[in-house]
Amino acid sequence: METITSVKNERVKAAAKLTSSAKARREQGLFVLEGLRLCMDVVRSGLRCAELFVSEEFCAKHGAEYEALVACSDEVFLVNDAVLEKLSDTRTPQGVCCVVRMAAPASLLERAPATGAPASETDVSATKLLLLENVQDPANLGAIARTAEALGISGLLVSGGCDVYAPKALRASMGALLRLPVEVVDASREGSEPVLSLLEKAEALGFKTYASTPAADAVPVTEADFSGKVLCVVGNEANGVTPETMTACAERVTIPMAGRAESLNAAAAGAILMWEMVR
Amino acid sequence: METITSVKNERVKAAAKLTSSAKARREQGLFVLEGLRLCMDVVRSGLRCAELFVSEEFCAKHGAEYEALVACSDEVFLVNDAVLEKLSDTRTPQGVCCVVRMAAPASLLERAPATGAPASETDVSATKLLLLENVQDPANLGAIARTAEALGISGLLVSGGCDVYAPKALRASMGALLRLPVEVVDASREGSEPVLSLLEKAEALGFKTYASTPAADAVPVTEADFSGKVLCVVGNEANGVTPETMTACAERVTIPMAGRAESLNAAAAGAILMWEMVR
């Protein structure tokens, strides 16, 4: 195992770049996880690390976890706290950090039931998907992913906005972004209007498509038909779902509110919407 | 208007203490708000400022807001950015900061309908209250308050945990903690077991009392009777509702989940619970 003690080491600089830059992550198909809890989700998710960085203290303290991480890592480096701090975007790194290969892009609309998955997940005729369009705040993206996992939502589609591999989003999701089926709807892969072609495909595959909106004349979520295959769109925190996407969805749904509607934030609105989808 | 330019000024030091110390806030009955948006909630909430601190730039840029703030402030001080930074717990103060007198303690169980309030708020026979027991994270407290306001929950009772006047909680609530009826259930006022006597009083007044729990054998929120007067308890992030409070409530309710239950955080669980209370 190689030892690195300089923050100017080329590998360290390259990994730190992945922490701070969504562009670097996208180009290289790699992202960074920091801390015991998130790193162990790599093991659980069957992902593979290109590089594992650990402190001596971590190896001594977490022997079993260290072994499990080594088993799914291509290269392992022993590093000091200065290097770990450079790799992480937090002030108090926890002694372990890994550069992870992104999973192959999933296609959630046509997914096959996973072998051995619980019944709720094998029944593709009841697939419930949430599409996040330009959700900007990593805390919101993370919170929505966490709630989606808790409620048993089948998967998240993410178009624009916050990068799903942003360290803050991964942390806020408590790893749910690694465990939940997530498809990044990428303009470079799908042509100029990837969300619109995705919605078209969804409808062709029998999905009911809904755009969420604060507009009071939309269908109340309590009256919407969320049986069968459902895809709901949640929009940007300030501007909501784009007009084009709104038009492309079969129906608009809203959360009827007795109080001050502007107060419901994206994470809370997402929680209530997902709850109604699976209720 | 007096000008203060030193961060060592006694008034500045006293106000900064209120920003950082829950004890100082409690003892003096004062708290601090920073930024245009939160300070304007003082005006809207009919609260009164003991001290208003403003920068020259703020007065020039926000004349009307400045006038409105002066009208509800006992004393006004012109200060520089260094002083504002000292008063605030954020890095980029917005030119205005005020020391606010806490409102007289409300008694939410026996509140009279406010004159001119919307029908949903005047009908005390449908009062819906949420009691937060030892909720620690100011982001959760703020988020729950924000959702409560959006959904038209009648009021929040807060027992232990995060101080409702903590700057982070006030900010996360987007001012909802100022606008929503909030009662701090205070051990010093109510005897040694303030929550238990409050629950007893609630039941005597005809409230249905519910404790929320992840326990699968509790009543699903979808089957609970939330008509009439309802009080629901949400517990600490890690430990949930205390056993004593759990026993004192008439019923236990739970959010049935298809996915990984441990993933639902306090703010999301609170949103779904409140939604079911008013649905």
Side-chain angles (χ1 to χ4, degrees):
Chain A
M1 178 163 56
E2 197 181 321
T3 299
I4 303 177
T5 55
S6 164
V7 297
K8 292 187 175 159
N9 176 286
E10 286 306 321
R11 278 179 185 275
V12 173
K13 280 159 68 181
K17 182 85 185 169
L18 293 171
T19 300
S20 61
S21 160
K23 184 163 171 278
R25 291 192 287 268
R26 202 168 45 238
E27 286 173 356
Q28 298 175 48
L30 297 170
F31 64 101
V32 176
L33 289 176
E34 199 265 330
L36 177 62
R37 199 174 161 147
L38 281 179
C39 288
M40 290 311 290
D41 277 322
V42 170
V43 178
R44 282 188 283 268
S45 309
L47 292 167
R48 182 103 203 138
C49 297
E51 296 165 336
L52 173 67
F53 298 91
V54 287
S55 70
E56 217 160 325
E57 203 190 337
F58 178 83
C59 299
K61 208 167 149 188
H62 302 286
E65 289 88 349
Y66 169 67
E67 291 303 330
L69 281 166
V70 167
C72 65
S73 300
D74 296 345
E75 294 186 273
V76 184
F77 301 94
L78 196 67
V79 296
N80 58 16
D81 281 355
V83 167
L84 284 168
E85 215 168 305
K86 170 90 178 173
L87 294 177
S88 149
D89 70 329
T90 63
R91 285 283 179 77
T92 48
Q94 297 173 52
V96 60
C97 193
C98 52
V99 173
V100 189
R101 292 187 210 286
M102 293 177 186
S107 180
L108 295 185
L109 293 181
E110 295 171 291
R111 77 201 176 100
T115 329
S120 61
E121 287 170 35
T122 54
D123 181 8
V124 291
S125 68
T127 302
K128 307 287 181 242
L129 299 175
L130 199 71
L131 166 58
L132 305 180
E133 190 184 39
N134 303 324
V135 168
Q136 288 297 335
D137 184 343
N140 284 337
L141 173 59
I144 289 172
R146 195 176 158 185
T147 305
E149 184 184 37
L151 296 179
I153 292 290
S154 320
L156 283 187
L157 299 143
V158 180
S159 166
C162 178
D163 176 20
V164 297
Y165 297 105
K168 274 187 194 165
L170 289 162
R171 263 203 309 280
S173 82
M174 303 284 273
L177 279 170
L178 302 174
R179 295 182 301 261
L180 202 66
V182 174
E183 177 177 351
V184 176
V185 184
D186 187 347
S188 65
R189 277 210 307 274
E190 305 262 350
S192 63
E193 287 181 332
V195 172
L196 301 190
S197 47
L198 185 138
L199 288 169
E200 211 170 282
K201 194 168 154 188
E203 301 224 349
L205 288 165
F207 279 83
K208 297 185 193 95
T209 58
Y210 293 98
S212 61
T213 166
D217 65 341
V219 177
V221 284
T222 46
E223 286 165 32
D225 175 10
F226 288 132
S227 64
K229 291 178 174 180
V230 173
L231 187 155
C232 274
V233 187
V234 167
N236 173 268
E237 289 89 340
N239 306 313
V241 173
T242 60
E244 300 76 35
T245 298
M246 194 73 87
T247 309
C249 286
E251 196 116 49
R252 296 176 312 137
V253 287
T254 193
I255 298 171
M257 274 174 271
R260 290 165 49 111
E262 76 273 29
S263 261
L264 203 63
N265 86 339
I272 294 169
L273 181 64
M274 288 186 277
W275 169 246
E276 286 292 330
M277 286 167 73
V278 300
R279 192 176 184 272
Chain B
M1 177 164 56
E2 198 181 319
T3 299
I4 304 178
T5 55
S6 165
V7 297
K8 293 185 175 163
N9 177 287
E10 287 305 321
R11 280 181 183 273
V12 173
K13 280 159 69 182
K17 182 87 186 166
L18 293 171
T19 300
S20 60
S21 160
K23 183 163 173 279
R25 291 192 288 269
R26 202 168 46 237
E27 286 173 358
Q28 298 174 50
L30 297 170
F31 64 101
V32 176
L33 289 177
E34 199 265 332
L36 176 62
R37 197 172 163 151
L38 281 178
C39 288
M40 290 311 290
D41 277 323
V42 170
V43 177
R44 281 188 283 268
S45 309
L47 292 167
R48 182 101 202 137
C49 298
E51 297 164 337
L52 174 67
F53 299 91
V54 286
S55 69
E56 216 159 324
E57 202 189 336
F58 177 84
C59 301
K61 208 166 148 189
H62 301 285
E65 289 87 349
Y66 169 67
E67 291 301 331
L69 281 166
V70 167
C72 64
S73 300
D74 296 346
E75 293 186 274
V76 184
F77 302 94
L78 197 66
V79 297
N80 57 16
D81 281 354
V83 167
L84 285 168
E85 215 167 306
K86 169 92 178 171
L87 295 176
S88 150
D89 70 329
T90 62
R91 286 283 180 77
T92 48
Q94 297 174 49
V96 60
C97 193
C98 52
V99 173
V100 188
R101 291 187 211 288
M102 292 177 187
S107 180
L108 295 186
L109 293 181
E110 296 172 292
R111 78 201 175 102
T115 331
S120 60
E121 286 169 34
T122 54
D123 180 9
V124 290
S125 69
T127 301
K128 309 286 182 242
L129 298 175
L130 198 72
L131 167 58
L132 305 180
E133 190 184 40
N134 304 325
V135 169
Q136 289 297 335
D137 183 343
N140 283 337
L141 173 60
I144 289 171
R146 195 175 157 186
T147 305
E149 184 185 37
L151 295 179
I153 292 291
S154 319
L156 284 187
L157 299 143
V158 180
S159 167
C162 176
D163 176 20
V164 297
Y165 298 106
K168 273 186 194 166
L170 288 162
R171 261 203 310 278
S173 82
M174 303 284 274
L177 280 169
L178 301 173
R179 295 182 300 261
L180 202 66
V182 174
E183 178 177 350
V184 176
V185 183
D186 187 348
S188 66
R189 276 209 308 274
E190 304 261 350
S192 63
E193 288 180 332
V195 172
L196 301 189
S197 48
L198 185 137
L199 287 169
E200 212 171 283
K201 195 169 154 188
E203 300 223 350
L205 288 165
F207 278 84
K208 297 184 193 96
T209 57
Y210 294 98
S212 60
T213 166
D217 65 340
V219 177
V221 286
T222 46
E223 286 164 30
D225 175 10
F226 288 132
S227 63
K229 292 178 174 181
V230 173
L231 187 155
C232 274
V233 187
V234 167
N236 173 267
E237 289 89 340
N239 307 312
V241 173
T242 60
E244 300 76 36
T245 299
M246 194 73 86
T247 309
C249 286
E251 196 116 48
R252 297 176 311 137
V253 287
T254 193
I255 297 171
M257 274 173 272
R260 291 166 50 111
E262 76 273 30
S263 259
L264 203 64
N265 86 338
I272 293 170
L273 182 63
M274 290 186 277
W275 169 248
E276 286 292 329
M277 287 167 73
V278 300
R279 193 178 185 268

